[in-house]
Amino acid sequence: IMYKVLGGTLPFGFMSELQVRLAQSECVDQDEELHFVPESSVVERVSGSVLSVAYTCGGGIVREWTILSQAHTGEAAVGEASNSLRIMGWAEVSSQQGATDWRLFRGVIRAIEGMAQRAPGLSLQKMALYVDANGKLAKPLEITRRNEARQVFSFGF
């Protein structure tokens, strides 16, 4: 998911405050080995967080991971990417009966949208990024309140 800022830029400190809120959130493990500090060369180009939580769901244990990032400078920040927040998530299921309810991923989305509502004049466009059948990055799919409930994303292994 990508949140593109429309008609402006993210308010000063938005990403920092978001990262602090997420780090203090009850849905994130406080296990030291799951908190990562990127190399300085990465910090100069991108700010972000790697979050993880383990829980039982669907009869098995699942570990969910979510990455939140924002580009700063250089090639990674060209165009829309420089003024957007990106979220990527995945889950590791421990058994065939395991499942995920995406509680961490949804929690990050709720945190972003909640902070955006409290930021005067900030307008975010929510988009889904995906790879097409040819293995190429497809045109982002805009997600609106009107079509959000009707969107069905399927995938296979």
Side-chain angles (χ1 to χ4, degrees), residues 4-126:
K4 178 183 166 189
V5 179
L6 301 176
T9 61
L10 283 173
F12 178 78
F14 186 92
M15 183 66 167
S16 299
E17 183 179 341
L18 178 60
Q19 288 177 289
V20 169
R21 285 183 186 210
L22 291 172
Q24 295 175 343
S25 166
E26 291 179 9
C27 68
V28 177
D29 281 347
Q30 298 303 319
D31 187 345
E32 290 180 21
E33 62 187 74
L34 298 178
H35 290 253
F36 300 97
V37 178
E39 299 175 17
S40 61
S41 62
V42 174
V43 172
E44 292 171 3
R45 296 181 316 234
V46 177
S47 63
S49 296
V50 178
L51 308 164
S52 178
V53 65
Y55 52 90
T56 302
C57 185
I61 296 174
V62 62
R63 175 159 296 281
E64 186 181 338
W65 297 85
T66 300
I67 297 176
L68 168 67
S69 64
Q70 177 191 20
H72 287 303
T73 60
E75 290 182 26
V78 173
E80 295 178 354
S82 65
N83 208 18
S84 63
L85 298 171
R86 295 171 303 241
I87 309 156
M88 181 178 74
W90 69 94
E92 299 168 352
V93 181
S94 65
S95 68
Q96 290 183 346
Q97 292 78 28
T100 184
D101 56 13
W102 299 106
R103 64 183 69 168
L104 179 60
F105 191 82
R106 291 176 192 266
V108 171
I109 287 174
R110 279 192 303 274
I112 291 170
E113 291 176 356
M115 284 184 60
Q117 287 178 343
R118 291 185 296 280
L122 180 61
S123 180
L124 297 177
Q125 179 182 30
K126 187 176 182 182

